[in-house]
Amino acid sequence: AVEVWSYLSFRGLDATIVQFRDEMRGQVGRFVWEYFAKRPALAGCSCVGERDGGSSLAVSPFASYEYAQMLVECARSSESCTADQTSCNCSLLPLYLQWHGHSVTVVGIRRQQSGNKMNDFLVLFDPRKTGQVVKNKLRYQINTTFIEISTNELLSKKKDFQIILTTTRMLSDSKREECKQRIKCLNVR
């Protein structure tokens, strides 16, 4: 995760590593859910409707570190931060998820109610899956077009994991220089 963060920062992209440890590992589903909910009040978004036909990225008003902190607080909360808000139309960048020995790109999340419990399934692209595996899955299993991993399965790996959250903000030259001295990492326990 540090190498990917370093590359993104070098290229001038605003990114933060969120390290999930100990009991907070169980909140990764809520963190990802709040991220992909795209709620204006949480993201600080001021968009109303689509901008330029929805094809361009609006500049994020918050830096990735501030945004990650807000999402962590929402994940820790017993109630959703987004329950009564409307969704915005701004584009979101995927999340980069890494655990010991493997990394994936998270492009969404699906929730499934099972009794009193909500199960989260991360929708992702996995480099372990060859193009042919994904192509076959798309062709023969229309209802499961993406590869998914349940957060319960992720937690069973008994490892800490990191998410890299990137915003659409570009880093100034001085901020890029700061990144050379200090990694932007939020350690969540």
Side-chain angles (χ1 to χ4, degrees), residues 95-99 102-106 124-128:
L95 296 170
Y96 175 89
L97 172 65
Q98 182 171 5
W99 62 88
H102 195 60
S103 60
V104 294
T105 303
V106 181
L124 48 90
F125 292 114
D126 187 339
R128 285 187 302 194

Side-chain angles (χ1 to χ4, degrees), residues 30 34 39 42 70 73-75 77 79-83 85:
R30 295 216 39 210
E34 297 293 342
R39 307 300 181 184
L42 180 62
M70 287 187 273
E73 289 308 312
C74 285
S77 171
E79 299 202 11
S80 175
C81 296
T82 59
Q85 299 176 25

Side-chain angles (χ1 to χ4, degrees), residues 41-44 62-63 65-75 81 186:
L42 180 62
F62 292 115
Y65 191 82
E66 296 167 321
Y67 190 33
Q69 286 178 313
M70 287 187 273
L71 292 169
V72 166
E73 289 308 312
C74 285
C81 296
L186 184 58

Side-chain angles (χ1 to χ4, degrees), residues 32 36 94-99 102-110 120-129 134 137-138 144-151 153-154 157:
V32 173
F36 283 111
L95 296 170
Y96 175 89
L97 172 65
Q98 182 171 5
W99 62 88
H102 195 60
S103 60
V104 294
T105 303
V106 181
V107 296
I109 185 167
R110 179 177 66 85
D120 295 320
F121 295 86
L122 303 181
V123 180
L124 48 90
F125 292 114
D126 187 339
R128 285 187 302 194
K129 307 296 182 192
V134 174
K137 200 167 204 172
L138 287 170
T144 56
T145 57
F146 292 99
I147 298 166
E148 295 181 343
I149 185 172
S150 75
T151 54
E153 183 181 340
L154 186 63
K157 296 183 184 308

